[in-house]
Amino acid sequence: MLRFDIAPVCSNAYRFQATMSFAIAAIYLFTPYKWVAFLLAFGGLMRGFVSPHKCISYKLFEGITGKLDWHKKVNAGAKMFADKIAGIAGLAMAITWMMDSGVGVIPATAILIFAFIDLATGFCAACWAYGAWYKMKAA
C-alpha cells in the first residue's frame, strides 16, 4: 500500500540508515555494548510508526544526501515497513539482553545481513517483501 499521507523519503538517506543499523548490529554482536539495541529500537519504531521525517538521524542523512545531490525520493510505505521490522528486532534484542538471554543474536544477525545487503547494493529485502505482499494480495 503506497503511503500518500506521508511525504516521500530519500532512498539514499535510507542507505545511510542501513549503515547505522549494520553498525549497531555489529556492535551488539561483537562487543559487550548490548545497550545499543535501544538505539535501533527507538529509531526503527520512530521512523516506522510515527514518521521518518520526525527522526533526527533521517533528517541528518537527508540533509547530507541533499547537499551531495544524491537525493532520490521514493514512497514512504515500504521504507516505513522496513523500519517497523528493524524497530521490533531492536526491541527484541534489547529485551533479551535485559533478560540475560542469548536469543537476541538471532535478530541481530538478521539485521546485520540484511542491512549489509541494503547498504552495499541498495536492495531492501523488507521493501521487496512489502511490495510482493500487496501484489499477491491484489491478485
Side-chain angles (χ1 to χ4, degrees), residues 11-98:
S11 66
N12 287 325
Y14 262 90
R15 287 181 84 175
F16 280 110
Q17 284 296 156
T19 304
M20 292 302 300
S21 297
F22 176 81
I24 288 170
I27 291 168
Y28 183 90
L29 288 169
F30 304 118
T31 71
Y33 306 114
K34 307 286 189 214
W35 58 267
V36 296
F38 288 108
L39 298 174
L40 181 66
F42 179 76
L45 296 173
M46 167 66 87
R47 288 184 305 277
F49 288 101
V50 178
S51 172
H53 302 288
K54 297 199 185 293
C55 179
I56 295 169
S57 64
Y58 174 76
K59 287 181 185 180
L60 171 70
F61 297 141
E62 184 180 37
I64 291 170
T65 57
K67 292 258 190 224
L68 297 172
D69 200 28
W70 288 351
H71 51 279
K72 178 185 171 197
K73 297 291 184 175
V74 294
N75 189 278
K79 297 296 184 183
M80 289 179 70
F81 176 72
D83 278 326
K84 289 173 185 169
I85 292 173
I88 292 168
L91 200 57
M93 290 160 54
I95 289 170
T96 57
W97 166 65
M98 288 174 36

Side-chain angles (χ1 to χ4, degrees), residues 76-118:
K79 297 296 184 183
M80 289 179 70
F81 176 72
D83 278 326
K84 289 173 185 169
I85 292 173
I88 292 168
L91 200 57
M93 290 160 54
I95 289 170
T96 57
W97 166 65
M98 288 174 36
M99 294 173 60
D100 201 30
S101 172
V103 175
V105 299
I106 297 169
T109 303
I111 293 290
L112 187 78
I113 292 167
F114 290 115
F116 179 76
I117 292 169
D118 191 2

